[in-house]
Amino acid sequence: MLWAPTLLKAAAVLLIGLWLARRLTNLVPKALGRFGLDPMLGDFTRNVVYIASVVIIVVVALGTLGVQTAPLLAVIGTAGLAIGLALKDSLSNIAAGVMLVTLRPFRVGDVVNVAGQTGTVREVRIFQSVLEGPDKQLFTIPNNLITADVITNLTTQGVRRVELVIGIGYGDDIEQARQVALAQVRADARVLDEPGADAVVYELGDNSVNLGIRCFVQSSDWFGTKTSLLERIKVAFDGAGINIPYPQRDTHLYLYDESGKRTSLPAPAPANDAPDAA
């Protein structure tokens, strides 16, 4: 009974403190948003502030019970050092998360290619970042993998280049194929006038002359424009009599006699149309 008031007081400090910490930390993104800061920074700061607040509240509640907090803080510091050494990879994720929200190579809502995955940035957490893929799947990627690799932001410029590589036969007219392809590109309203579209010879391949057909569109129109142009150019080439060759191989068969000299193939035996004798 003597400990009941102290226990109740400590429990009240703990519960009220956690409630206030949750309420106040939820205001952090709104407060930072008023200064025009990126929502990604607000969410990251909220998580960090909440974890720090919980640690402080627990220490205060223990102090209310009469526990000497100075030795406790020393123990927490020592334990924190040991945990830090054991969880150095996790700490590197935290440091990488701080770099992401500070340097801001991307923002929430940007389409990026990081750590071999392409998707829309949904959230940057303390340890991981969350991307949403084109099929609505979620990628949770450790922050240190993101900062350790190349970050490709596909959104910041607002436009993307559609690049199609289409082969034509060696016997086809390159200039005719170029004009047919560019006519289909320029007929698409999603294609931007500047920078202008072009069609160049990329490569003299094994089986075809490979044309690079390039144009710029808004980032949101990239996939739809690419698939549409592939179909329309194929139909236009068919109508113009331009071939899109498939891989081919010429096989040569040689015969050698016993001395190692190459000989010609024997003539095929004449067909015998006579009926078989009974």
Side-chain angles (χ1 to χ4, degrees), residues 174-252:
I174 295 178
E175 184 59 31
Q176 180 191 12
R178 177 185 288 116
Q179 296 304 322
V180 171
L182 288 178
Q184 298 303 315
V185 171
R186 292 164 180 161
D188 196 313
R190 295 167 294 186
V191 175
L192 302 178
D193 295 331
E194 292 293 336
D198 62 358
V200 297
V201 176
Y202 265 7
E203 181 187 19
L204 299 179
D206 294 336
N207 306 290
S208 62
V209 177
N210 295 326
L211 298 181
I213 301 162
R214 308 175 299 185
C215 62
F216 283 85
V217 297
Q218 296 293 333
S219 298
S220 58
D221 294 331
W222 180 82
F223 184 76
T225 305
K226 179 179 180 179
T227 55
S228 176
L229 288 179
L230 280 173
E231 179 179 350
R232 292 170 61 178
I233 291 175
K234 169 63 170 64
V235 174
F237 277 5
D238 290 344
I242 299 173
N243 299 313
I244 299 180
Y246 51 85
Q248 304 177 46
R249 291 291 182 270
D250 291 335
T251 302
H252 301 273

Side-chain angles (χ1 to χ4, degrees), residues 255 264-270:
L255 294 180
S264 59
L265 293 176

Side-chain angles (χ1 to χ4, degrees), residues 116-225:
Q117 301 294 341
T118 301
T120 304
V121 179
R122 291 305 179 207
E123 186 179 2
V124 176
R125 300 173 181 169
I126 296 178
F127 297 102
Q128 310 103 354
S129 296
V130 179
L131 272 63
E132 181 180 323
D135 296 332
K136 298 301 180 182
Q137 70 272 40
L138 293 180
F139 303 115
T140 302
I141 306 173
N143 290 331
N144 63 343
L145 293 182
I146 297 176
T147 56
D149 201 353
V150 176
I151 300 174
T152 304
N153 194 320
L154 305 175
T155 303
T156 52
Q157 298 300 320
V159 297
R160 288 185 65 180
R161 186 173 75 174
V162 175
E163 185 173 12
L164 308 177
V165 180
I166 301 177
I168 63 174
Y170 272 94
D172 294 321
D173 189 330
I174 295 178
E175 184 59 31
Q176 180 191 12
R178 177 185 288 116
Q179 296 304 322
V180 171
L182 288 178
Q184 298 303 315
V185 171
R186 292 164 180 161
D188 196 313
R190 295 167 294 186
V191 175
L192 302 178
D193 295 331
E194 292 293 336
D198 62 358
V200 297
V201 176
Y202 265 7
E203 181 187 19
L204 299 179
D206 294 336
N207 306 290
S208 62
V209 177
N210 295 326
L211 298 181
I213 301 162
R214 308 175 299 185
C215 62
F216 283 85
V217 297
Q218 296 293 333
S219 298
S220 58
D221 294 331
W222 180 82
F223 184 76
T225 305

Side-chain angles (χ1 to χ4, degrees), residues 11-22:
V13 170
L14 183 62
L15 294 176
I16 295 175
L18 292 176
W19 180 79
L20 287 175
R22 187 176 298 275

Side-chain angles (χ1 to χ4, degrees), residues 28-45 100-110 121-124:
V28 171
K30 297 179 180 179
L32 295 179
R34 293 181 179 179
F35 293 96
L37 299 179
D38 192 86
M40 181 175 67
L41 178 61
D43 293 337
F44 184 86
T45 306
L100 290 176
V101 299
T102 302
L103 301 178
R104 293 193 294 180
F106 51 76
R107 300 170 181 265
V108 172
D110 286 354
V121 179
R122 291 305 179 207
E123 186 179 2
V124 176

Side-chain angles (χ1 to χ4, degrees), residues 269-277:
N272 185 7
D273 295 333
D276 294 337

